[in-house]
């Protein structure tokens, strides 16, 4: 009995030491860095774990960017209850799956007994502990699961984790963004070429009557026909096409699950297609006055860009006021890019 209590005390002490170390690594990793002369923000929490994603991706022959994308999407869509159960960053494995389905202790963190009962939890640093809140243990466990579950089909493993086709699509897209721009791309651009004349009307929340009573879910930037419209973020083209309210429009989503909506365009950039990656300042279309009718309807209002921003929790999506962001981006130096993104190899 004394030996059992002694082992338990040592495990608790080791868990406490490791928990403090994990907390310090997160805090120390959030020192502000300078993005550019006009825009500052803290590095993304995942930046400090890039080496872990790459190490265990290589160990288990899993794309490191898929591991990072799973964590990113899981964190962005955690419910309040899930966040209370797992307050650490990233994908949280259920206790029984972590410790082993037949393990009498569903919250077991002792690696040998977890292995005995076939649990997912892995000990990454040889301390005989498999802690779900420890980034190395958790990322190693995730990579091993994907390797065993997926074989050659990583998307099947993503489906098993989330049971949601939207999650599969977002994880795939986030991974492409990480390969193209890194895990923490920084910088934005004002969505209109500032060398042209334009006027911003901050009318978010104002009433609209066409198609029924509704609110204006964006800001209007009035400019002449043909004024270049720019991507304001690193992201991917989620949709293009006609909408009876927005006319010819483009929807772009970034790796933080923010959705940028550009409407009333006269035309698109010639090389742009659904699924393409874009970066700040890249030309994606041109100002027009399309919308408020069937495809091709135009001229029912002055030419302008309707620009909206939306957040998505995985359960609901809502518009928020883009004005503070536009005012910030408007003050920054702008570089207009007309060439499409060239994708490098995505080998893990």
């Amino acid at each position: 009995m004394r030996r059992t209590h002694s082992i338990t005390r040592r495990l608790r002490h080791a868990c406490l030491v490791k928990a403090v170390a994990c907390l310090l690594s997160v805090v120390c990793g959030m020192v502000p860095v300078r993005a550019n002369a006009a825009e500052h923000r803290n590095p993304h929490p995942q930046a400090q774990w890039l080496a872990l994603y790459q190490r265990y991706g290589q160990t288990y022959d899993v794309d490191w960017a898929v591991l990072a994308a799973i964590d990113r999407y899981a964190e962005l869509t955690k419910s309040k209850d899930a966040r209370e159960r797992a307050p650490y960053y990233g994908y949280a494995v259920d206790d029984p799956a972590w410790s082993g389905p037949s393990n009498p202790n569903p919250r077991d963190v002792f690696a040998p007994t977890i292995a005995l009962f076939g649990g997912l939890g892995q000990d990454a640093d040889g301390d005989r502990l498999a802690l779900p809140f420890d980034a190395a243990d958790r990322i190693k466990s995730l990579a091993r699961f994907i390797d065993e579950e997926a074989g050659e089909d990583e998307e099947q493993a993503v489906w098993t984790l989330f049971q949601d086709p939207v999650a599969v699509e977002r994880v795939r897209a986030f991974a492409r963004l990480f390969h193209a721009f890194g895990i923490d791309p920084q910088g934005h651009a004002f969505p209109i070429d500032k060398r042209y004349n334009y006027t911003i009307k901050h009318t978010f929340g104002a009433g609209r009557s066409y198609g029924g009573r509704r609110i204006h879910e964006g800001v209007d930037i009035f400019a002449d026909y043909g004024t270049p419209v720019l991507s304001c973020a690193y992201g991917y083209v989620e949709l293009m096409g006609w909408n009876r309210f927005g006319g010819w429009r483009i929807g772009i989503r970034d790796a933080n699950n923010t959705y940028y909506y550009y409407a009333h365009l006269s035309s698109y950039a010639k090389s742009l297609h659904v699924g393409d990656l874009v970066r700040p300042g890249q030309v994606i279309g041109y100002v027009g006055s399309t919308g408020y009718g069937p495809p091709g309807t135009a001229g029912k209002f002055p030419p302008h860009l309707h620009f909206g921003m939306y957040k998505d929790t995985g359960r609901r999506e809502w518009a928020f006021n883009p004005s503070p962001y536009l005012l910030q981006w408007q003050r920054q130096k702008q570089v207009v890019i007309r060439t499409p993104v060239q994708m490098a190899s995505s080998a893990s």
Side-chain angles (χ1 to χ4, degrees), residues 155-175:
E155 289 191 2
Q156 176 58 48
V158 176
W159 168 262
T160 302
L161 291 173
F162 292 99
Q163 299 288 304
D164 180 2
V166 173
V168 174
E169 183 271 327
R170 300 276 166 86
V171 167
R172 182 197 311 125
F174 289 1

Side-chain angles (χ1 to χ4, degrees), residues 64-257:
W64 71 265
V66 170
L67 296 174
I70 289 169
D71 267 359
R72 180 72 62 91
Y73 186 75
E75 181 66 21
L76 292 170
T77 57
K78 273 184 182 177
S79 66
K80 182 179 178 181
D81 289 343
R83 200 171 297 280
E84 289 177 352
R85 292 193 304 270
Y88 48 86
Y89 190 97
Y91 187 86
V93 178
D94 291 339
D95 288 341
W98 182 269
S99 62
S102 58
N103 193 328
N105 178 10
R107 307 194 71 176
D108 194 3
V109 295
F110 190 48
T113 55
I114 289 175
L116 179 65
F117 288 103
L120 298 180
Q122 295 289 301
D123 170 18
D125 56 9
D127 62 0
R128 307 190 80 190
L129 296 176
L131 302 176
F133 56 79
D134 178 75
D137 291 353
R138 189 183 57 76
I139 292 170
K140 181 180 180 182
S141 303
L142 185 61
R144 180 173 177 266
F145 167 79
I146 292 175
D147 178 48
E148 294 182 349
E149 175 71 19
E152 297 297 320
D153 186 1
E154 292 175 351
E155 289 191 2
Q156 176 58 48
V158 176
W159 168 262
T160 302
L161 291 173
F162 292 99
Q163 299 288 304
D164 180 2
V166 173
V168 174
E169 183 271 327
R170 300 276 166 86
V171 167
R172 182 197 311 125
F174 289 1
R176 292 178 63 226
L177 290 171
F178 293 156
H179 277 297
F181 306 123
I183 203 168
D184 185 27
Q186 301 194 32
H188 291 84
F190 189 70
I192 287 285
D193 189 332
K194 295 191 296 182
R195 294 172 297 183
Y196 293 71
N197 293 324
Y198 66 88
T199 302
I200 307 176
K201 297 295 185 182
H202 298 283
T203 54
F204 179 84
R208 290 291 186 270
S209 59
Y210 178 81
R213 293 183 62 84
R214 55 195 174 89
I215 67 166
H216 191 224
E217 294 185 343
V219 164
D220 290 334
I221 306 176
F222 289 85
D224 292 334
Y225 285 106
T227 298
V229 173
L230 315 178
S231 171
C232 60
Y234 295 95
Y236 66 99
V237 179
E238 189 170 276
L239 66 79
M240 297 173 65
W242 182 265
N243 177 280
R244 72 186 184 100
F245 296 107
W248 299 118
R249 89 292 198 211
I250 297 174
I252 291 172
R253 189 175 301 276
D254 70 15
N256 291 313
N257 221 19

Side-chain angles (χ1 to χ4, degrees), residues 200-332:
I200 307 176
K201 297 295 185 182
H202 298 283
T203 54
F204 179 84
R208 290 291 186 270
S209 59
Y210 178 81
R213 293 183 62 84
R214 55 195 174 89
I215 67 166
H216 191 224
E217 294 185 343
V219 164
D220 290 334
I221 306 176
F222 289 85
D224 292 334
Y225 285 106
T227 298
V229 173
L230 315 178
S231 171
C232 60
Y234 295 95
Y236 66 99
V237 179
E238 189 170 276
L239 66 79
M240 297 173 65
W242 182 265
N243 177 280
R244 72 186 184 100
F245 296 107
W248 299 118
R249 89 292 198 211
I250 297 174
I252 291 172
R253 189 175 301 276
D254 70 15
N256 291 313
N257 221 19
T258 300
Y259 181 75
Y260 305 84
Y261 181 70
Y262 307 77
H264 306 314
L265 303 176
S266 61
S267 60
Y268 304 125
K270 289 183 179 179
S271 60
L272 197 70
H273 302 91
V274 171
D276 284 354
L277 303 187
V278 293
R279 55 201 185 278
Q282 182 177 333
V283 176
I284 58 174
Y286 301 90
V287 169
S289 62
T290 58
Y292 282 25
T297 302
K300 290 194 171 184
F301 39 75
H304 68 280
L305 170 69
H306 169 95
F307 178 76
M309 295 176 67
Y310 296 77
K311 290 301 291 185
D312 184 358
T313 65
R315 291 165 299 282
R316 70 184 186 94
E317 185 176 65
W318 70 95
F320 60 94
N321 188 356
S323 290
Y325 298 91
L326 290 173
L327 292 173
Q328 178 186 1
W329 302 336
Q330 188 181 22
R331 294 191 295 266
Q332 297 173 6

Side-chain angles (χ1 to χ4, degrees), residues 53 57-58 61-68 146 154 175 179 346-348:
Y53 293 124
Q58 185 176 30
D61 194 25
V62 173
D63 185 354
W64 71 265
V66 170
L67 296 174
I146 292 175
E154 292 175 351
H179 277 297
S346 61
S348 51

